[in-house]
Amino acid sequence: MAQVNQEISTEKSQTVLSSSKSVTLRISRSNPEIGTEEKFDEFVVPYEKYSTVLDAILSVKSHLDHSVGVRYSCRQASCGSCGMKINGKPKLACFTKIVELDSNVITIEPMDNFPVVRDLVVNFTRMFNNHKKIMPYVVSNDSEITPGTNVKEMLQTPEDVEKYIQFSSCIKCGLCNSACPTMAMDTSFVGPQALAQAYRYIADTRDHGKKNRLKIIDESHGIWRCHFAGSCSQVCPKGVDPAMGIQLLRSYLLGLRD
Amino acid sequence: MEKESKAKEGIKGWINPAKYGKFGIERFAWILMRITGLGLLAYFIGHIIETGNILSGEGAWNEMLAMTQTTEGHVFLALVIGMCVFHTGNGIRLMLGQMGYGIGKPARPDYPYKPQSLNMKGKACIYATIGVAALAMWYGIAVMFG
Amino acid sequence: MMIMRESIVMKIHYGTAIGAVFLVAIHIMMRMTQDFHESLEYENVIANYEMIGYAILLELILVLISVHGFNGLRVILLEMKQGPSYEKGVTYGCIASMIALVAYGSNTIIQAHLGMV
């Protein structure tokens, strides 16, 4: 049952309010380690027109309830730490302004399809393992620079870079994996993040690992379990468009590209 | 230790209607593709069994027709027509997308980071497919009910 | 245990889809060569089965749609639950169902074509 938590914490201090606007945050609370079931705590916090959901959560932590578990770092959509489900849709808390949600009550839950550590913090082990599985590095036959040979830099034209630069913007926030309907049921699916990164490296002209990567994803829980629902691209905060990468990757396996 | 049950959203990730408002028409097309696929498979199995009655002679065939050529049977068949047209049309859209057509070209992303693959062409195809399926159902009903 | 690579299976899935679209369109248009209700009468149906071209068309539709449909079912079932024995069971179950349906349908087509009704 939701609890309205309006008590000031033991420090008994609060920032002077400059705004008369306030919003109710319904934050999911759970601690699987000690077996507590999920419940929602409600907090009323003030906000400005530029306030983000992360600002509101940190305001709760500072003044109302220190114990809210949240992962965050850069506060500028660069690190991918603060992914969570905000009003039912996976978003970065630091990149979501309260005013754009257009709601008096904001429900904040941990991302779907990730094991919960505590409250809003989830475990990324599966996603990182899937990412490592697709060999997320440039595989090059000329990685050693031998003196006396012509091998220097690995040159690329601007056109070559344009082919993959979009997919290199991935910050591993996990929002795509959270939104993906296949990941909702299939725990063996590699996920849109890993598949988009597989395309990033295959499309890179410096890379020679295409054959091995294609073999890795060509399995019953690999690329073929993507059905172009597009939810991954809908939620990606960096414009990576994993759905595009996955469809382009598929054309390699269908024999339409070399 | 993390709760394993939270490691996947489960069937709610497929059937929760709230998702379809938040994630766009492509997600709706995905679930409709599944539903129509299963529906068509069930119809196909029934159709093979039902047409097998031809081997039992004219009496058995007419009995089968009496059961299926009813108002309910015609409405059901109209639904099948709609499912078939949607599944075909959306399937063609998906196959073209998976071959790389109509999903845009990779480019340096810029704010507001609108995904190219979820463009108006694809959305228009989905709406057009739904429209054509509805038209086909209407035509089927017109033929079956004379 | 993989019977064949998933990319081959999916190429078959897409190939059967494209083939089935054309053949089912022809099958439906055959119903339009006569009045709909007339086309379902016993003698007319038997006459269709006795045409070798139409019998081959039906057989092809049967095979293509069985393969496409049961592979689609296999994909959905594999996404719903994972595990080595479950996945093996689903794969072999779908293949067996596919074979059974093709066998049942082929029996109808062959017997009707040969006039063994």
Side-chain angles (χ1 to χ4, degrees), chain A residues 54 69-73 80-84 93 117 120-124:
Chain A
L54 182 62
V70 61
R71 185 188 278 130
Y72 70 99
S73 182
S81 301
C82 61
M84 53 191 74
V117 176
L120 303 173
V121 179
V122 296
N123 184 305
F124 275 75

Side-chain angles (χ1 to χ4, degrees), chain A residues 29-43:
Chain A
R29 310 298 303 274
S30 66
N31 193 338
E33 202 168 325
I34 59 171
T36 54
E37 286 298 313
E38 189 189 28
K39 64 176 173 73
F40 284 87
D41 284 347
E42 288 191 3
F43 306 93

Side-chain angles (χ1 to χ4, degrees), chain A residues 182 185-188 218-221 224-225 227 253-254, chain C residues 2 5-7 10-11 14 74-75 78-80 82 87:
Chain A
T182 302
M185 290 292 278
D186 188 348
T187 48
S188 304
D218 185 8
E219 45 123 31
S220 61
H221 295 283
W224 301 105
R225 295 298 78 92
H227 306 288
L253 285 162
L254 288 171
Chain C
M2 289 274 292
R5 267 192 310 158
E6 196 69 18
S7 56
M10 292 313 290
K11 281 179 195 167
Y14 296 152
R74 180 191 72 98
V75 164
L78 286 183
E79 286 181 22
M80 290 181 84
Q82 294 78 49
E87 290 182 28

Side-chain angles (χ1 to χ4, degrees), chain C residues 99 106 117:
Chain C
I99 292 171
S106 300
V117 289

Side-chain angles (χ1 to χ4, degrees), chain B residues 8 11 14 30 34 38 41 44-45 47-59 61-62 65 69 74 77 84 87-88 92 95 98 139 143-146, chain C residues 14 17-18 21 24 27 32 36-37 40-43 45-46 49 61-62 65-66 68-70 73 75-76 79-82 101 104-105 107-108 111-112 116-117:
Chain B
K8 63 179 186 181
I11 198 73
W14 285 12
W30 167 82
R34 301 221 138 177
L38 290 172
L41 181 64
F44 183 67
I45 293 168
H47 186 63
I48 299 299
I49 294 170
E50 152 202 81
T51 49
N53 280 309
I54 198 89
L55 298 180
S56 306
E58 190 167 355
W61 180 256
N62 290 334
L65 279 183
Q69 297 306 299
H74 288 329
L77 199 55
C84 188
H87 197 84
T88 304
I92 292 170
M95 278 200 272
Q98 288 165 15
Y139 179 71
V143 166
M144 285 186 288
F145 285 104
Chain C
Y14 296 152
I18 294 169
V21 167
V24 169
H27 178 49
M32 294 176 174
F36 175 72
H37 300 284
L40 294 176
E41 282 170 16
Y42 182 79
E43 298 80 21
V45 174
I46 290 289
Y49 273 113
I61 290 174
L62 175 65
I65 296 193
S66 297
H68 185 81
F70 281 105
L73 179 66
V75 164
I76 292 172
E79 286 181 22
M80 290 181 84
K81 193 164 150 29
Q82 294 78 49
L101 191 68
Y104 184 89
N107 175 59
T108 303
Q111 285 202 51
M116 293 158 65
V117 289

Side-chain angles (χ1 to χ4, degrees), chain A residues 126-142:
Chain A
R126 178 162 72 123
M127 192 183 97
F128 291 154
N129 287 341
N130 285 335
H131 181 58
K132 284 182 214 165
K133 194 170 151 182
I134 57 93
M135 295 168 15
Y137 40 83
V138 172
V139 172
S140 176
N141 298 332
D142 309 315

